[in-house]
Amino acid sequence: MESYNASSLEAKWQKLWEEGSLFKTNEGEGEKYYVLEMFPYPSGRIHMGHLRNYTIGDVVARFRRQKGYDVLYPMGWDAFGLPAENAAIKNNVHPKKWTHENIANMREQLKSIGLSYDWDREFATCDPEYYKHEQKMFLDFLKNGIAYRKEAMVNWDPVDQTVLANEQVIDGKGWRSGAIIERKKLNQWFLRITDFADDLLDGLSTLDRWPERVRLMQEKWIGKSEGARIFFEIEGRDDKLEIYTTRPDTLFGASFCAIAAAHPLASELAEKNKELQAFIEECNSLGVSTEAIEKAEKKGFDTGLKIAHPFIEGAELPLYVANFVLMDYGTGAIFACPAHDQRDLDFARKYDLPVTTVVSKDGEDFDVGSEAYTGDGTLINSEFLNGLDVESAKSKAIEKLKELGIGEGTINYRLRDWGISRQRYWGCPIPIIYCDSCGAIPVPEKDLPVTLPDDVSFDKPGNPLDRNEAWQKVDCPECGKPAKRETDTFDTFFESSWYFARYTDPKNEATGFDKKLADKYLPVDQYIGGIEHAVLHLLYARFFTRALSKCGYLDIKEPFEGLLTQGMVCHATYKDGSGNWVAPIDVEKNSDGSFKHKKTGEKVEVGRVEKMSKSKNNGIDPAPIIEKYGADTARLFMLSDSPPERDLEWSDTGVEGSYKYLKRLWNLVLGAGELKIDNSLLEKCEGNALELRKNIHKTIKSVTDDLLGFHFNKAVARSRELTNALEKFKPSNDVEKAVFAEGIRTALTLLNPMIPHITEELWSAIGEKESLCTITWPEAKKELLLDDKVTVAVQVNGKLRATLDLQKDVDEELAKETALSEDAVKSAIGDKQVKKIIVVPNRIINVVAA
């Protein structure tokens, strides 16, 4: 028997699939099914996260094809971004060259996994043929009031030298660089995502095939809240201080007011006050995360201004500039009720400001001490609000504000408009021209795309486009005078917010994609990717789809109907005696269970199992695994070890176990001899042959249900159970041989989406000419799914004493007789007399004894 050689047979079948264009999208009249994974950044090498993510998608695509769907399953590259620029600086290579070389490498690596992509639809977002269309989209957004430019406080990454959106600031640090974010004022381009806040929020209720935690994360990020807008009088000034609050019920506990360092009033006052200017600069370097603000010492600068209390005549509140107030929420100004907000309380204690309790759990006055009371209760010390519960007090306070003409009830959102300007080279140029006479002018559509210049230098920090005067110089489209191009480029999330639509018609030069094709294939039926994109990419893509629909590109709101967020691939971490991380490939286990460095022999300490990452140096390169064991082994391990939404711990023994199973499958099929199915013989089976046939069809039903529900580990387990049964079955006559042949063919078909190469080879080896991936998915015969036996519970006086395996619909008297013969039942009855026996057919036998 020929031995299993994964390397040669996998290369063979990958070539045959490609030559036969077997995975090309049909675009017929059949029911569509669009499978898509979040496309990769072309870093140069695939990692285990890629392998898991794309294996899952491939199983879904292959299964749906065999179920008869017109499957769209494309691949491309999210190719713009700072890593390319960083590589250019480090390796003295142009970002374009670095990116396209990496794409070529990764394309071959992905093909080696046996992924059934329609490669004819491949594109990279750095191709002018792609970003030409998003430049046109931006201009349409501008026409429709979705895009605009303004001066605003932004999140500045001092390492990457670029602006970041709020969503790209993680715990006060840049999402890529990890640098502490600074605040500065710049002219930026924005998209009005806030105009779609309610629609984005309402749409979450329609996404019933999304993980609940992802929907909750988006809901929290949008952050809709009901409260009041109050206009406080500023003593000695004509303007008013506008404040948004969710707690107007606590106004009688107000102790001071505070504004953000970026508030216009703070900037005005700082022009004549150097100490305040210094304080504002200190605030801007604090960081912008909730965590950073919570941990920082609460500091303020007394402006000397006094704010009139809206409800207490003659009462004045001091106005501070405070480091814990941000312009990103509400109006950038607060009134502070220290007794019922911890940050306000910390500030009040520091500056010796009054603390008045206005909400009491039991209606009695009390001192909050060092911990603010944030619970529910009854209003106290609040004049006309006394005795009301919190919600009633909120309503009454808003009524009073309206009556006085100084406030109103309103709704606020945490969500802020999306700042899309980035100060970098390797991104899509923003198609705007600045003219001293005409202002900001859109680039005429006939002049798109605005392409990046190749002659750039990275020898200085900052954006190379700012230093490329030849590229910047252009005539104004309106007046013809000398003008300059916009040197900012789009946030890279701009590209990934519409790529799923481009896949529906990737060669369309005129409009980016044909609306009819987009409406046919969208929304994506199954989207697959990491939970880390729950707010960033997924929220932007949902907004972008709505914006494109408003501009006439699409007729849908939601881009992704189903979402699967796969877990991380994890591995143990290792450190040497100096505290350096050691790669798993360099670690060896000793006979006593301890670990050492393979090269130095030095003892290695084992740390926690964590997500594979460069920072912990605990990654496993998929390439050597595929080279040694084959892609099918890696795929099988990725699918069988745990449910896809959970983290998976990489295990060498698990990989070896998967490889051993493939060799067993190989030997089972090739050692079976001639395998012919005679349908007339199948109908005559009985005894063990009938039991095996029932097992075959129950497995078809179970694996089908498992794949529909993305329970890949269960599908693998049930398929293996079937092949185990086939290994034990020794056919001795023609009927048994026919059933055995049906079992082998069924097992290969069910396993094909998961381990496509070896099953194709074995399918061919048993004499089949047609590729297995084109075979129609088997249907389970209903009559073979029925059990002849049922498990019946036996109770004595209502308590379970035994279970029996009885023939289905067994005679009632025989059921009673069998139940009474059970030792456990006899023991439970003891000396009592059996009064009656109640039989619920095929379910329960209840013996009543007294």
Side-chain angles (χ1 to χ4, degrees), residues 199-236:
D199 199 14
L200 288 165
L201 207 52
D202 293 342
L204 292 173
S205 64
T206 69
L207 300 174
D208 53 9
R209 292 205 296 115
W210 278 42
E212 179 64 18
R213 66 172 177 153
V214 174
R215 290 188 288 173
L216 285 172
M217 288 167 76
Q218 291 212 0
E219 184 180 330
K220 284 181 69 176
W221 189 263
I222 295 168
K224 183 176 182 178
S225 62
E226 295 184 9
R229 179 171 277 111
I230 309 172
F231 299 92
F232 287 77
E233 288 189 8
I234 308 173
E235 300 292 338

Side-chain angles (χ1 to χ4, degrees), residues 360-371:
S360 170
K361 189 174 182 180
D362 56 10
E364 298 294 324
D365 200 356
F366 67 101
D367 183 359
V368 295
S370 60
E371 187 174 343

Side-chain angles (χ1 to χ4, degrees), residues 179-198:
I180 299 291
I181 294 305
E182 300 171 359
R183 306 283 286 170
K184 63 164 58 177
K185 191 171 280 190
L186 289 176
N187 266 310
Q188 299 283 286
W189 287 98
F190 290 84
L191 297 183
R192 295 187 196 277
I193 189 172
T194 53
D195 283 3
F196 298 80
D198 276 327

Side-chain angles (χ1 to χ4, degrees), residues 29 135 141 147 198 307 705:
E29 297 301 316
Q135 289 176 341
F141 290 170
D198 276 327
I307 307 298
D705 291 345

Side-chain angles (χ1 to χ4, degrees), residues 148 150 165-167 190-201 204 217-225 327-330 411-419 535-536 538-540 542-543 546:
Y148 67 98
K150 71 171 183 178
N166 288 346
E167 293 85 351
F190 290 84
L191 297 183
R192 295 187 196 277
I193 189 172
T194 53
D195 283 3
F196 298 80
D198 276 327
D199 199 14
L200 288 165
L201 207 52
L204 292 173
M217 288 167 76
Q218 291 212 0
E219 184 180 330
K220 284 181 69 176
W221 189 263
I222 295 168
K224 183 176 182 178
S225 62
M327 281 301 297
D328 286 342
Y329 185 76
I411 292 172
N412 191 58
Y413 299 89
R414 180 177 184 265
L415 184 67
R416 289 290 173 262
D417 281 344
W418 177 13
V535 171
L536 284 161
L538 290 171
L539 184 62
Y540 289 152
R542 294 182 63 227
F543 154 66
R546 286 163 166 78

